[in-house]
Amino acid sequence: MAEPKQMQPKDLVAIRQRLGFTQTQLAQELGYAGKSRISQMETGHTRVPPRLAMLLRRMDKDDQLA
């Protein structure tokens, strides 16, 4: 099975905005204690974990189908 495609920071920002979440709201939805982890991923200080990237792409796809 192929490794999920790495998500770029700009892609994370775009998906979050399409879903209508603030950084804090997305962090809560994903089970993070605060928005700092989302901020770090969006600025490129930490990479988006492959499984999280896959989940976010699914959430985005499902939202666009609704």
Side-chain angles (χ1 to χ4, degrees):
M1 191 161 146
E3 181 77 14
K5 181 180 169 193
Q6 185 172 345
M7 181 175 283
Q8 298 301 312
K10 65 180 176 60
D11 299 326
L12 172 56
V13 173
I15 289 174
R16 177 180 58 77
Q17 290 174 342
R18 278 195 300 271
L19 293 171
F21 289 130
T22 64
Q23 288 181 342
T24 301
Q25 290 168 328
L26 182 60
Q28 289 173 342
E29 287 292 316
L30 298 174
Y32 292 113
K35 73 173 190 170
S36 65
R37 179 64 68 145
I38 302 301
S39 177
Q40 290 170 351
M41 288 185 270
E42 287 186 359
T43 58
H45 286 89
T46 60
R47 70 182 190 94
V48 180
R51 288 182 156 223
L52 179 56
M54 188 170 58
L55 173 64
L56 290 168
R57 287 184 180 109
R58 278 199 185 139
M59 288 171 67
D60 187 41
K61 182 179 178 181
D62 288 347
D63 189 61
Q64 290 177 7
L65 294 175

